[in-house]
């Protein structure tokens, strides 16, 4: 056989650039900090197996991919299916996705498309039976057709452009009911009060665990660092929900002991940072990492990869099936502070409330290059925070690590300015 015609031997996954990208970030999250919580070992191990070693994640039954937090996961669980959040933070997939999108497009959307176009996408969750694509920003709307062209079954979940009016509420409730019908045809299972109640109990327990963690982050001095909190919420994307909840409850128990023992996860006078804007998603956690390597601590966030995904709970007035579905629809619309809505007053209100209740020293606002809604809102958010006496650092970036040096300089200067402001106020 002619050796020139031989196919190149594929590298084992754990030796690929993609695996090294994930391993480098995970090593920095774990090894660059002392006194990581022992309970974080579950999450460190999960990401190492899924992202660094390419180990398949257990999934049974119907798998439903979601591209946004607006897809009601309770309906998916109630129908006997498993939701998997497809938003991806890999620069490797960002580069692959660039073949489908214009050059100045959002890294998150490109990386999601890059992952979906790959034969053995990481995390390895198996073949998806359906992708639910809520019609949020323009790039995600158009990405749905590209996913379909790749051979995926795609369901566009229609979201209204505003959330204040009764018309938008009724429109969204109708969209959610139609989504339930689509799930029924997919799974062959009927939505009942019993299975929806059980599904809401599972997600409710997970949200309760998150809220407890959220409140521990409010403590001063800090009990846990933001880089770990983001890793925890990122795991919710693809982990088994019951295992995830148990792991967070163990972490909360350890944080309770830390509080009792007077433990400090960061320096007592470390500037407290609120993180907002484009979501940090593993392995692109470079900005939270740089903040905490510079001596700050991310104590709260307003992002769709953490707080906005898990904080708001369903409030049911009438436990009748149709009323329960409408209550779910309200939960996914009314409290959401996504910038895709025409009015951003509620997002500004939420940021000011978080800044006050978490006693933050400053806000870091991340915007992925090409993510126009976050880019357009940064000015009004900065003005509102400035009026309230809260400094904000606006950072435009992408998934590449090429700007780490420049970002590090800006972050260090911002953290130092927070320290100077504290000294003057003392």
């Amino acid at each position: 056989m002619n050796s020139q015609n031989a196919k190149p031997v594929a590298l084992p996954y754990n030796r690929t650039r993609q695996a090294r990208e994930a391993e480098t970030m995970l090593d920095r999250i774990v090894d660059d900090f002392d006194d990581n919580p022992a309970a974080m070992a579950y999450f460190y191990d999960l990401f190492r197996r899924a992202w660094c070693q390419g180990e398949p994640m257990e999934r049974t039954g119907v798998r439903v991919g979601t591209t946004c937090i607006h897809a009601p996961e309770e309906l998916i669980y109630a129908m006997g299916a498993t939701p998997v959040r497809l938003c991806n933070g890999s620069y490797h997939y960002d580069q692959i996705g660039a073949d489908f999108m214009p050059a100045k497009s959002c890294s998150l959307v490109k990386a999601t498309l890059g992952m979906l176009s790959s034969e053995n996408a990481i995390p390895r969750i198996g073949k998806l039976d359906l992708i639910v694509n809520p019609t949020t920003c323009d790039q995600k709307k158009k990405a749905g057709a590209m996913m379909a062209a790749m051979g995926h079954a795609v369901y566009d979940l229609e979201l209204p452009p505003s959330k204040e009016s009764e018309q938008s509420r009724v429109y969204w409730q109708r969209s959610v009911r139609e989504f339930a019908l689509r799930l029924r045809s997919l799974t062959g299972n009927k939505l009942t009060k019993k299975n929806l109640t059980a599904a809401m109990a599972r997600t409710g327990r997970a949200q309760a665990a998150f809220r407890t963690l959220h409140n521990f982050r409010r403590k001063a001095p800090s009990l846990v660092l933001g880089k770990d909190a983001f890793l925890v919420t990122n795991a919710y994307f693809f982990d088994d929900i019951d295992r995830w909840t148990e792991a967070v409850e163990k972490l909360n128990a350890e944080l309770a002991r830390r509080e009792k023992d007077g433990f400090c996860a960061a320096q007592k006078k470390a500037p407290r940072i609120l993180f907002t804007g484009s979501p940090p998603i593993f392995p692109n956690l470079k900005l939270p990492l740089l903040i905490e390597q510079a001596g700050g601590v991310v104590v709260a966030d307003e992002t769709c990869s953490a707080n906005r995904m898990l904080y708001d709970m369903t409030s049911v007035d009438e436990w009748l099936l149709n009323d329960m579905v409408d209550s779910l629809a309200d939960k996914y619309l009314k409290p959401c502070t996504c910038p895709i809505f025409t009015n951003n007053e509620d997002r500004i209100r939420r940021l000011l409330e978080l800044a006050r209740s978490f006693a933050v020293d400053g806000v870091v606002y991340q915007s992925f290059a090409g993510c126009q809604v976050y880019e357009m809102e940064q000015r009004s958010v900065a003005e509102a925070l400035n009026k309230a006496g809260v400094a904000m650092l606006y950072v435009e970036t992408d998934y590449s690590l090429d700007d780490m040096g420049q970002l590090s300089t800006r972050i260090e200067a911002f953290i130092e300015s927070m320290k100077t402001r504290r000294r003057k106020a003392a």
Side-chain angles (χ1 to χ4, degrees), residues 163-341:
K163 63 176 187 174
E164 287 80 15
S165 68
E166 184 61 19
Q167 292 94 325
S168 64
R169 183 187 183 205
V170 171
Y171 181 91
W172 174 240
Q173 287 178 341
R174 188 181 304 129
S175 291
V176 171
R177 290 176 197 164
E178 290 174 359
F179 175 50
L181 294 175
R182 178 67 181 88
L183 287 171
R184 178 175 178 173
S185 68
L186 175 72
T187 63
N189 295 326
K190 183 180 178 182
L191 184 67
T192 65
K193 177 181 173 181
K194 182 178 180 181
N195 60 26
L196 184 55
T197 301
M200 291 170 69
R202 290 178 78 189
T203 58
R205 182 185 164 201
Q207 287 184 281
F210 169 78
R211 279 194 168 207
T212 302
L213 174 62
H214 175 78
N215 287 326
F216 275 126
R217 296 176 70 191
R218 197 190 306 269
K219 305 292 182 182
S222 297
L223 301 171
V224 62
L225 297 181
K227 51 101 180 173
D228 285 333
F230 279 122
L231 204 65
V232 167
T233 55
N234 280 191
Y236 188 80
F237 286 22
F238 62 92
D239 195 12
D240 174 86
I241 186 172
D242 299 318
R243 284 199 298 266
W244 182 89
T245 304
E246 289 173 10
V248 178
E249 289 171 346
K250 288 180 181 176
L251 175 61
N252 288 335
E254 183 174 353
L255 297 183
R257 293 193 294 274
R258 282 186 165 196
E259 182 181 19
K260 186 178 179 181
D261 296 340
F263 181 88
C264 301
Q267 291 183 353
K268 288 186 177 180
K269 294 185 179 180
R272 297 167 62 84
I273 301 298
L274 167 62
F275 196 101
T276 188
S278 301
I281 299 174
F282 187 85
N284 180 48
L285 296 183
K286 62 182 179 183
L287 216 48
L289 191 69
L290 287 173
I291 292 168
E292 297 187 332
Q293 286 177 327
V297 56
V298 180
V299 295
D301 74 275
E302 188 275 323
T303 70
C304 63
S305 62
N307 194 309
R308 204 187 296 155
M309 175 174 68
L310 285 162
Y311 185 79
D312 297 301
M313 305 183 80
T314 309
S315 177
V316 180
D317 293 326
E318 298 287 342
W319 288 89
L320 301 173
L321 183 58
N322 288 339
D323 294 315
M324 292 167 69
V325 174
D326 287 349
S327 297
L328 269 180
D330 285 347
K331 167 202 165 181
Y332 282 90
L333 181 69
K334 289 293 183 182
C336 184
T337 52
C338 180
I340 53 100
F341 294 117

Side-chain angles (χ1 to χ4, degrees), residues 83-102:
V84 181
R85 177 92 174 266
L86 301 175
C87 298
N88 199 291
S90 165
Y91 183 51
H92 171 79
Y93 286 139
D94 178 0
Q95 292 178 301
I96 296 174
D99 289 340
F100 302 93
M101 299 282 287

